[in-house]
Amino acid sequence: MKSPIQARYYILGLFLIASLLLTLLGQYLYLKGDKIQQEVQQQAHEQASNELKKSLAHIFELVNSEAAALANWDEIHLQFAQPSYYYYWHSQRLQTSDFFKPYYLELELYDKNRQKFSSTSERYLDLPEKLTLQPANIKKYIQVQPPRKEILIVSQPVFQRANPAEIDGYIAIAIDFFKLLETEAGFNYLDFEKLFFNRSGIIEPQDLFSALEFQIIPMPVNERLWDLIAKSIFEFFFASLIILVLVLVVAGWIFIWPIHKLSSHLKRLTTTNTTINSAPNYLVTEFTGLHNQLTDYHNELLSSKAKMAEKNQQLWNLLRQDSLTGLANIRALEEFWQIISEEVQEHPFDISYLIFDCDQFSFYNKNYSHQIGDQIIIETAGILQKVFNSTSIYRVGIDRFVVILTNTSLAQVEQLANRSLQQIASHPFEKLGILEKVSFSIGISHMPAKETKNHLEVLAKQAQIAVFKAKQQISNRLNFYQAPDENNSINKSQLTVILDSIYHKDNIKLYFQPIFDLNKNHVFYKSSIKIQAEDNLVDYLDIYPIIKQHHLEEKFDSVFLEKLLEKLQTTSLDNIKAVSIKLSTKTLLQPYLIDLFEPFLGYLKQINIIIELKESIITQHPDLFTFNLNKLRRQGFLIAIEQFAEESTNLMSLPKLPVDFIKLDQKILQLAEDNPINQKFIANFLKMLLATPVKIVVTQVETQYQLDQIFDLLDQEEINKLLVQGSLFGKPEPDLVIENRTRSGCREPS
Amino acid sequence: MNKNLFQKLLLFSLCLFSLNSFAKTIEIKISEGSPIAKARYSEGNENQPALLFLHGYLATHQFPLIQNLQDYFNFEGYTTLAPTLSLQVPARDNSLNCNSLHLHTLAQDLAEIEGWVNWLKEKGHQEIVLIGHSAGSIQLLELAATRSGSEIKKIILTSLLFLDPDEFNINKLDIEKARQKIIQNDFSPDTYSFIFCIDNYLATPESFLSYLPLTQQRVLDNLANIKIPTFVIMGSKDDRLGQPVEDWIKQLNQTSGKIFVIENANHFFSGEHEYILQHRLQKIIETKD
């Protein structure tokens, strides 16, 4: 749709069109009047022409009669009878007689031989000495001699009275043609003063009309009338123009100006955020009403807008505020992070990214109710607000907080982090009825100002990695992400390589770490993946946070399974008892989980394939896992629970679980070092587990000392049921290396 | 005026147009070298005298009084002839103006009248009555007084006048001028005062002077000497004379002519006096000597 046009341009257009029409009308009237005048002039010209023709006919008739009368005049006959006294008659009598008309210039008598009587006139010599013409009767012609000597020559024979057949002589008259016309012809249309001959010389009567040029009498009335009409047309035009302008001005004043005023008012309303109480002043009631309606609408709109702004603010707050703790949520963090990212481009500054993750939070939720879990989060939030002075604290997960510190040195960050850990450790959570000690793991990444401009985007990932590692640590819950070892650090380019590798299944390397059956010397292998990123071989612990952040768990797991399948196809499986694989929770929850393992069915006769999963997944989705895991187990797959008893272990449900292996982290056993009660508890706990059909695997056995701790807690029979995993027995290797290791290969417990 | 007269006048008036058809124009040439003369002629009873009506000075036979008299007497059965003196104009139709060129002389006029009398005589009219008006009366009297012959039985002179220089607008200086011109053989026309033409009478001296002998005394002498019965009819109100008409009538009465005066009539017997004149003329004509 075309852009609308302002009302004043319509008015202007209307004015131009009306002016154009008015001009055309005026021009039409003027041309019409001019045409009428021309027709009148033409008609007058025709009348003048007719008048001239009639006048010429009249004067010819007149001069004919006059010539005839002269020819019959007694005194003419006397002159022919006695011409002796012609001179006296001519000079003294002729011009005094009534026969000699005022327009006669000369009258002469000619004898029968056409010879003029003795020359009598000195003044006029227009008549020839001898008539050269031989007229049968009256003869006329016009003699035109410029500049203005137009003479009508008329000759008339005079017949004898005694013998009418005989010619006595002739009369010739020289007549002032124009005087004759002036005297005898009246002109109403022809302008006698402008009547003239267009040629000179002798002009015959039949050519006389064509030889005359004439003009019509100036018709003052007609011209005056036309002047008046023309003046009236112009007056009409200008009056109409003025009226039009006035109408447009009035219309503009009544309609356009109010519209403009309303438009200004509306513009003012759109740019004003305050309530307006203006008293409109319009000539038209409707405009006043419209003005008031707009004002009212504006005021109501402002009111609604204010309410909506308030609601929006509330909504904004809700959207950016964690309802439980009152802290900012992950959305607020994202927006704040965006701001930070833009600011560092202009003014780089130190930034620290701290992730607080509650240890074993699901345990509290499950064993003390969600209300208690929520209360733990609320009180922890309060602690963090106090420590970090209520700034830049975000709740980004159920049990996870992020604190952003700017322009804070690493030492200060560490100090604040330790203080917060101390505050949490000393906080009386027991008031909530919690018997366990509530602890948080903190992952910290710090980036000096000079690096923020180009590497800020990795800060959050680094913190995630840091917290992930912190949670792996036994004692220190605080972990700084540092990249002193450049081989393990993940920079941006490496991140890209990792992601590309997952998508394109390149640079992915399978690693296998052995698990020993201390009794049968059977070797199991735990498979894991490393990715060759540039010059670094990135470990799974560093890869996993990236995968999780990019929601690539399923993709990664499918690649993992594919690579494992390839390995099984290309490797001799003799003497290999089993291979375990740990899949992400997301993949394990997929309904096609069964299908993923279908390619492995053919290998189950040669090797056991163990699927590792977290205990919490089974407890949170018992029905689904019960179904899927039972089906997998019926097909021949084995199920292992890793990190057992680290979160919310429910011993009552353990017998119901479709589990073949339980993997215990060696750090649990370290609890036995604290006091004899713990030692007894841990020993009995292990014994209890070993009493079940489930195979027990102790992981993270890195040192002989740790192995000895296990041996110290158990008797020989129990030890024989145990399986161990750790660098003490073998680090992850790229190939399935079959090594026969025995308990004797290890240092005997002291 | 008796009843019989009026009946006749009425009948005359009704028959005027029919009478015109009986009248005809006669053109004759009196003599070799003279111009053609015209006259209106109507033939009547042979046993009645032929009447010759002569118009006044410069007039024609179409002069109303003359024409009416002719018509009346035509109606009465008279042979009538009303010549127009040519005044040297061939077949003159119209009266000459004062300023017309006058070449004619009294002698030429009298010869022309004589020619018409002779023409009547040649037509077999043995009795002719001459009836003149104004200057025509003088000319008829002059002719009759000097003419021999017996065919003219009566002369009736109406509004008779005379041409005395002192009496009739005739300037003696003009006469002298004309005479001097003749002495000097200068025959060129000149303007004179003559009768009713004041200073605009264009005439040759010969023409001008030819009429001057017709003085009062000459008229009276002619009346005294004439042998033919002569009757004079004057209007008592005639003011065209050089002297009061009463004086002139008195002098006329002293002559041998019979003088009749129509009371209150002017020089031209206008109005009812014309009928009285006709009646008087008829009585005179019909009266046996």
Side-chain angles (χ1 to χ4, degrees):
Chain A
M1 188 178 177
K2 290 181 179 178
S3 300
I5 300 170
Q6 291 184 10
R8 58 183 173 181
Y9 292 122
Y10 279 110
I11 290 293
L12 183 62
L14 188 64
F15 172 74
L16 290 176
I17 291 170
S19 300
L20 180 63
L21 291 175
L22 203 57
T23 304
L24 291 174
L25 177 62
Q27 191 175 14
Y28 170 77
L29 290 175
Y30 184 86
L31 292 175
K32 193 74 178 174
D34 191 46
K35 189 179 178 183
I36 291 172
Q37 194 210 17
Q38 287 178 4
E39 287 178 358
V40 170
Q41 290 285 99
Q42 189 176 356
Q43 201 168 19
H45 192 274
E46 290 177 5
Q47 294 283 2
S49 176
N50 293 333
E51 210 170 46
L52 180 59
K53 288 177 183 173
K54 287 181 182 176
S55 296
L56 292 176
H58 169 67
I59 62 169
F60 283 148
E61 189 179 344
L62 180 68
V63 295
N64 283 346
S65 66
E66 288 176 359
L70 281 168
N72 200 36
W73 188 21
D74 289 339
E75 294 185 33
I76 295 291
H77 285 275
L78 174 62
Q79 293 305 314
F80 280 111
Q82 297 191 40
S84 306
Y85 299 99
Y86 177 70
Y87 170 79
Y88 302 101
W89 176 79
H90 190 278
S91 61
Q92 296 187 49
R93 163 58 182 158
L94 176 60
Q95 294 187 13
T96 62
S97 80
D98 293 337
F99 285 91
F100 196 88
K101 303 299 179 184
Y103 36 80
Y104 286 5
L105 296 173
E106 191 179 357
L107 186 151
E108 296 293 348
L109 300 182
Y110 293 76
D111 61 19
K112 60 179 66 177
N113 296 319
R114 306 186 303 278
Q115 190 67 41
K116 193 185 201 178
F117 279 16
S118 60
S119 179
T120 55
S121 175
E122 295 178 355
R123 183 176 174 187
Y124 300 109
L125 293 171
D126 298 313
L127 293 173
E129 286 300 315
K130 185 174 182 177
L131 290 177
T132 55
L133 303 170
Q134 182 62 57
N137 202 325
I138 192 167
K139 179 66 179 178
K140 297 181 287 293
Y141 64 90
I142 304 291
Q143 184 176 329
V144 178
Q145 297 174 4
R148 189 168 178 93
K149 192 170 183 181
E150 299 84 7
I151 303 167
L152 170 62
I153 305 293
V154 179
S155 63
Q156 169 77 28
V158 179
F159 295 93
Q160 289 184 5
R161 284 181 166 172
N163 184 7
E166 289 290 325
I167 291 176
D168 252 349
Y170 300 92
I171 304 167
I173 313 167
I175 300 172
D176 186 334
F177 176 76
F178 285 109
K179 193 170 183 180
L180 170 62
L181 270 180
E182 185 179 18
T183 305
E184 296 299 332
F187 294 108
N188 296 318
Y189 296 96
L190 185 141
D191 187 354
F192 181 74
E193 295 298 325
K194 294 181 179 174
L195 181 66
F196 61 91
F197 281 95
N198 56 17
R199 66 190 79 161
S200 60
I202 303 298
I203 299 171
E204 294 294 327
Q206 63 270 21
D207 301 328
L208 181 57
F209 180 77
S210 63
L212 282 168
E213 295 291 335
F214 65 90
Q215 295 181 16
I216 61 171
I217 291 176
M219 293 180 282
V221 174
N222 185 30
E223 291 177 358
R224 177 64 181 155
L225 189 61
W226 168 238
D227 288 343
L228 290 174
I229 290 171
K231 187 180 176 186
S232 298
I233 290 171
F234 281 114
E235 287 175 353
F236 165 76
F237 174 74
F238 285 113
S240 301
L241 198 61
I242 290 169
I243 290 170
L244 177 64
V245 170
L246 287 175
V247 167
L248 290 176
V249 168
V250 171
W253 188 40
I254 293 176
F255 297 106
I256 304 304
W257 176 76
I259 289 172
H260 180 70
K261 192 175 176 184
L262 278 173
S263 177
S264 300
H265 179 61
L266 195 58
K267 192 177 290 182
R268 182 185 165 207
L269 293 180
T270 56
T271 56
T272 303
N273 291 324
T274 57
T275 304
I276 291 175
N277 292 312
S278 60
N281 182 20
Y282 296 97
L283 293 177
V284 181
T285 308
E286 285 79 356
F287 285 123
T288 304
L290 189 57
H291 183 102
N292 288 334
Q293 286 177 4
L294 284 173
T295 304
D296 294 344
Y297 179 75
H298 167 75
N299 292 337
E300 290 174 8
L301 192 65
L302 278 181
S303 175
S304 301
K305 195 174 175 183
K307 290 177 182 173
M308 191 173 287
E310 187 181 351
K311 294 288 183 187
N312 280 340
Q313 186 60 43
Q314 290 175 358
L315 183 61
W316 192 91
N317 291 337
L318 284 174
L319 288 173
R320 288 157 183 78
Q321 190 177 38
D322 177 48
S323 59
L324 181 66
T325 61
L327 295 174
N329 61 11
I330 190 168
R331 183 190 296 271
L333 172 62
E334 289 171 355
E335 291 176 356
F336 180 69
W337 193 247
Q338 182 64 31
I339 294 169
I340 290 285
S341 301
E342 292 171 0
E343 285 183 356
V344 298
Q345 300 301 318
E346 298 292 332
H347 308 289
F349 45 81
D350 290 353
I351 301 176
S352 297
Y353 198 110
L354 292 78
I355 297 177
F356 288 75
D357 194 275
C358 185
D359 298 327
Q360 302 180 20
F361 181 71
S362 57
F363 170 81
Y364 303 122
N365 261 344
K366 187 174 180 180
N367 294 290
Y368 295 100
S369 81
H370 288 287
Q371 287 76 16
I372 295 300
D374 290 345
Q375 198 58 39
I376 291 170
I377 295 301
I378 291 169
E379 293 187 8
T380 304
I383 293 167
L384 294 178
Q385 284 178 308
K386 286 178 183 175
V387 173
F388 293 100
N389 202 20
S390 301
T391 55
S392 300
I393 306 170
Y394 306 87
R395 186 186 178 205
V396 297
I398 295 172
D399 56 345
R400 180 170 283 200
F401 299 94
V402 168
V403 177
I404 307 295
L405 295 174
T406 57
N407 293 317
T408 308
S409 67
L410 190 59
Q412 288 175 317
V413 172
E414 185 176 9
Q415 184 181 359
L416 288 170
N418 283 322
R419 189 188 303 168
S420 62
L421 284 179
Q422 291 168 3
Q423 293 277 338
I424 292 169
S426 60
H427 187 75
F429 286 106
E430 59 273 15
K431 288 181 181 177
L432 302 175
I434 300 173
L435 298 176
E436 292 78 8
K437 193 175 182 179
V438 176
S439 66
F440 273 74
S441 297
I442 304 176
I444 301 172
S445 60
H446 177 81
M447 189 169 283
K450 60 183 180 181
E451 295 180 10
T452 54
K453 192 170 183 179
N454 297 321
H455 303 293
L456 186 64
E457 72 277 0
V458 301
L459 198 61
K461 299 181 187 72
Q462 291 173 348
Q464 287 174 4
I465 292 169
V467 76
F468 186 75
K469 287 185 175 178
K471 292 180 82 70
Q472 306 300 319
Q473 295 171 171
I474 300 301
S475 56
N476 190 7
R477 313 309 291 177
L478 181 64
N479 181 267
F480 278 90
Y481 177 85
Q482 293 176 344
D485 183 3
E486 292 182 356
N487 292 331
N488 294 327
S489 64
I490 300 172
N491 55 32
K492 187 174 181 180
S493 61
Q494 289 173 337
L495 176 65
T496 306
V497 172
I498 291 168
L499 294 176
D500 285 345
S501 300
I502 295 169
Y503 277 111
H504 299 102
K505 305 174 186 175
D506 294 332
N507 305 321
I508 295 176
K509 312 250 182 227
L510 272 181
Y511 276 75
F512 301 93
Q513 185 175 24
I515 302 173
F516 274 92
D517 185 343
L518 294 177
N519 182 35
K520 299 177 180 178
N521 287 336
H522 288 165
V523 178
F524 298 76
Y525 287 92
K526 174 181 171 58
S527 61
S528 64
I529 277 183
K530 293 185 180 183
I531 294 176
Q532 186 69 40
E534 297 177 340
D535 296 333
N536 294 333
L537 196 59
V538 183
D539 190 70
Y540 173 78
L541 289 177
D542 295 328
I543 295 170
Y544 186 73
I546 296 170
I547 293 169
K548 191 174 183 183
Q549 183 183 4
H550 291 83
H551 308 290
L552 292 171
E553 294 94 329
E554 294 172 70
K555 177 69 178 173
F556 181 80
D557 288 343
S558 68
V559 174
F560 193 175
L561 288 169
E562 188 176 335
K563 291 291 179 185
L564 180 60
L565 186 61
E566 289 175 3
K567 194 68 179 174
L568 296 178
Q569 290 169 344
T570 58
T571 305
S572 172
L573 300 178
D574 296 337
N575 301 321
I576 298 176
K577 185 68 177 178
V579 173
S580 72
I581 180 168
K582 181 183 179 183
L583 298 180
S584 67
T585 305
K586 193 176 284 186
T587 301
L588 292 171
L589 292 173
Q590 296 306 318
Y592 57 82
L593 176 66
I594 306 299
D595 301 330
L596 285 176
F597 286 94
E598 188 176 355
F600 294 91
L601 289 174
Y603 296 95
L604 292 179
K605 295 178 180 176
Q606 303 174 49
I607 187 172
N608 288 315
I609 294 177
I610 304 166
I611 302 170
E612 295 185 10
L613 49 103
K614 280 187 174 183
E615 180 191 4
S616 59
I617 298 173
I618 300 172
T619 54
Q620 288 170 3
H621 308 280
D623 296 335
L624 179 63
F625 273 90
T626 302
F627 175 80
N628 282 339
L629 296 182
N630 281 330
K631 187 171 184 178
L632 287 171
R633 290 186 75 210
R634 283 196 296 272
Q635 290 177 343
F637 293 97
L638 301 175
I639 305 300
I641 294 175
E642 64 164 4
Q643 295 180 327
F644 183 75
E646 291 187 19
E647 293 180 347
S648 54
T649 299
N650 188 348
L651 294 177
M652 296 300 292
S653 62
L654 189 59
K656 301 176 184 176
L657 289 177
V659 175
D660 300 293
F661 294 86
I662 287 177
K663 297 181 78 172
L664 287 171
D665 196 314
Q666 185 272 337
K667 63 186 178 183
I668 293 176
L669 303 182
Q670 290 179 356
L671 293 174
E673 295 178 351
D674 293 343
N675 52 60
I677 296 173
N678 283 355
Q679 184 178 14
K680 193 173 185 178
F681 171 75
I682 292 302
N684 290 328
F685 178 65
L686 283 174
K687 292 178 186 293
M688 177 190 71
L689 292 178
L690 289 170
T692 65
V694 180
K695 297 283 186 184
I696 305 299
V697 180
V698 178
T699 63
Q700 301 294 331
V701 181
E702 310 294 337
T703 62
Q704 186 63 46
Y705 173 72
Q706 291 172 343
L707 183 61
D708 291 343
Q709 279 184 318
I710 298 169
F711 290 166
D712 291 342
L713 293 174
L714 301 175
D715 55 23
Q716 188 59 45
E717 185 179 358
E718 291 168 336
I719 288 172
N720 289 336
K721 292 181 180 178
L722 206 59
L723 288 87
V724 291
Q725 174 191 341
S727 57
L728 181 64
F729 299 94
K731 292 182 180 178
E733 297 293 339
D735 292 315
L736 288 168
V737 180
I738 306 300
E739 292 182 10
N740 289 320
R741 296 202 177 200
T742 62
R743 187 182 172 190
S744 57
C746 303
R747 187 183 66 85
E748 288 295 328
S750 58
Chain B
M1 195 177 297
N2 57 39
K3 187 178 178 183
N4 189 30
L5 175 61
F6 278 106
Q7 288 175 341
K8 284 187 176 179
L9 287 172
L10 180 61
L11 187 59
F12 163 70
S13 300
L14 292 171
C15 296
L16 274 179
F17 292 105
S18 59
L19 286 174
N20 277 330
S21 61
F22 294 111
K24 57 184 178 183
T25 300
I26 305 297
E27 292 183 350
I28 63 170
K29 202 166 187 177
I30 303 301
S31 63
E32 198 61 36
S34 65
I36 295 172
K38 288 174 73 172
R40 183 168 178 253
Y41 173 70
S42 178
E43 205 161 342
N45 297 328
E46 292 180 355
N47 56 352
Q48 290 179 313
L51 307 178
L52 187 149
F53 295 95
L54 187 61
H55 56 78
Y57 194 63
L58 304 182
T60 67
H61 67 261
Q62 293 169 335
F63 189 73
L65 178 62
I66 296 300
Q67 190 164 351
N68 290 341
L69 290 173
Q70 186 182 19
D71 292 339
Y72 176 77
F73 284 103
N74 286 340
F75 178 72
E76 291 297 327
Y78 290 91
T79 296
T80 61
L81 178 69
T84 295
L85 293 177
S86 69
L87 303 179
Q88 299 306 300
V89 176
R92 185 170 69 92
D93 277 332
N94 301 292
S95 299
L96 285 182
N97 293 332
C98 290
N99 57 356
S100 297
L101 180 60
H102 297 280
L103 303 176
H104 49 89
T105 63
L106 177 61
Q108 291 169 340
D109 294 344
L110 294 178
E112 212 167 286
I113 299 167
E114 175 67 22
W116 285 113
V117 171
N118 291 334
W119 184 81
L120 281 173
K121 186 178 173 183
E122 290 171 3
K123 283 285 186 179
H125 298 289
Q126 296 303 316
E127 293 184 357
I128 300 170
V129 175
L130 301 179
I131 302 166
H133 175 250
S134 188
S137 294
I138 308 175
Q139 290 173 315
L140 287 180
L141 179 60
E142 183 72 15
L143 176 70
T146 58
R147 185 181 182 274
S148 59
S150 59
E151 60 273 9
I152 299 174
K153 299 304 181 183
K154 290 179 183 174
I155 301 173
I156 303 171
L157 307 173
T158 64
S159 298
L160 179 64
L161 44 68
F162 50 87
L163 301 178
D164 272 26
D166 294 332
E167 300 287 341
F168 222 112
N169 297 327
I170 300 172
N171 194 326
K172 287 182 178 178
L173 292 176
D174 283 348
I175 297 172
E176 185 57 30
K177 181 174 70 175
R179 283 174 179 167
Q180 284 298 323
K181 291 187 75 163
I182 289 179
I183 291 170
Q184 295 171 5
N185 287 325
D186 180 4
F187 301 105
S188 62
D190 210 339
T191 53
Y192 305 98
S193 292
F194 185 63
I195 310 181
F196 46 82
C197 299
I198 308 300
D199 291 334
N200 66 345
Y201 187 74
L202 180 65
T204 57
E206 184 185 12
S207 172
F208 174 62
L209 292 174
S210 69
Y211 294 94
L212 295 183
L214 299 175
T215 61
Q216 185 179 28
Q217 189 57 50
R218 174 76 171 254
V219 171
L220 291 173
D221 289 345
N222 285 337
L223 283 173
N225 298 327
I226 193 168
K227 304 301 182 194
I228 303 169
T230 304
F231 303 88
V232 177
I233 303 173
M234 297 297 290
S236 65
K237 297 292 184 182
D238 190 344
D239 57 357
R240 305 296 295 265
L241 304 173
Q243 59 181 244
V245 69
E246 295 84 4
D247 296 345
W248 177 235
I249 291 172
K250 282 180 184 176
Q251 293 185 58
L252 290 174
N253 282 329
Q254 292 174 5
T255 64
S256 58
K258 289 185 178 179
I259 310 301
F260 297 95
V261 176
I262 298 176
E263 292 299 325
N264 297 319
N266 61 14
H267 187 72
F268 301 103
F269 301 97
S270 302
E272 61 182 10
H273 302 105
E274 186 177 309
Y275 302 111
I276 297 171
L277 174 64
Q278 290 169 358
H279 181 63
R280 174 57 62 189
L281 287 173
Q282 190 172 10
K283 276 199 169 181
I284 293 171
I285 293 166
E286 291 175 354
T287 301
K288 299 297 182 183
D289 294 333

